[in-house]
Amino acid sequence: MQVQPLNDEHDRKNFDCGEPALNNWLKQMARQHKEKGVSSTFVTLDHAEAVEILGFYSISLAEMLNTQLPAQYAKRLPSRVPVFRLGRLATALTHQGKRIGEFMLFDAIDRVKRISGEVGGIGLVVNAKPAALGFYQAYGFEQMVDHPHHLFLPW
């Protein structure tokens, strides 16, 4: 498998993860967000020349108040802290159960850790759907103070 930045060659039209909101976002908003500098979307493919999207994720920059973070991190940080946000992560229905979500999560973590080494950033945040909480927590994400579905992965 390979992860690439989303481009016009990738088949967004036929992607279906079973969540209409995520499907529509990929089809209608992902490219616009990239062009406007809002977020970047990355797609997982079988190989470099493939056009079928097995899954995708989007990341963006964010700023948080330290009071939103788990208490053990808030004490040692300034009042406002830079983080990266995992905005969306979805796997096509036909490829679910093949650990593609895990593959994409690891790719996203690796990508933002590399970037944070150059520009700063203390971790990765995600606003998880209830069904995905266990998935993220299994990889070290912790609940934030402000909402039980808001999770934080520190470096």
Side-chain angles (χ1 to χ4, degrees), residues 49-67:
E49 293 78 30
V51 296
E52 178 191 8
I53 298 172
L54 308 181
F56 76 92
Y57 69 85
S58 68
I59 54 175
S60 62
L61 299 171
E63 182 179 72
M64 300 192 64
L65 298 174
N66 69 0
T67 55

Side-chain angles (χ1 to χ4, degrees), residues 70-133:
Q72 68 267 32
Y73 306 106
K75 294 178 195 173
R76 60 181 176 88
L77 294 168
S79 61
R80 294 182 178 274
V81 293
V83 295
F84 293 87
R85 181 173 308 280
L86 181 62
R88 290 161 180 80
L89 186 144
T91 302
L93 281 171
T94 55
H95 297 284
Q96 290 178 2
K98 299 178 183 177
R99 301 185 79 138
I100 293 172
E102 176 185 61
F103 178 80
M104 291 188 296
L105 179 62
F106 289 171
D107 187 81
I109 292 168
D110 183 59
R111 186 177 306 278
V112 297
K113 276 187 173 182
R114 283 193 321 267
I115 295 166
S116 73
E118 294 183 27
V119 301
I122 64 160
L124 182 62
V125 297
V126 63
N127 298 343
K129 295 184 182 231
L133 285 172

Side-chain angles (χ1 to χ4, degrees), residues 4 6-12 31 49-53:
Q4 296 179 359
L6 177 67
N7 66 47
D8 289 334
E9 303 301 315
H10 299 132
D11 182 13
R12 292 177 290 155
R31 293 283 293 154
E49 293 78 30
V51 296
E52 178 191 8
I53 298 172

Side-chain angles (χ1 to χ4, degrees), residues 114-151:
R114 283 193 321 267
I115 295 166
S116 73
E118 294 183 27
V119 301
I122 64 160
L124 182 62
V125 297
V126 63
N127 298 343
K129 295 184 182 231
L133 285 172
F135 170 76
Y136 290 109
Q137 289 171 327
Y139 297 106
F141 282 80
E142 302 172 38
Q143 284 186 328
M144 296 186 340
V145 174
D146 63 334
H147 192 283
H149 297 164
H150 296 176
L151 304 174

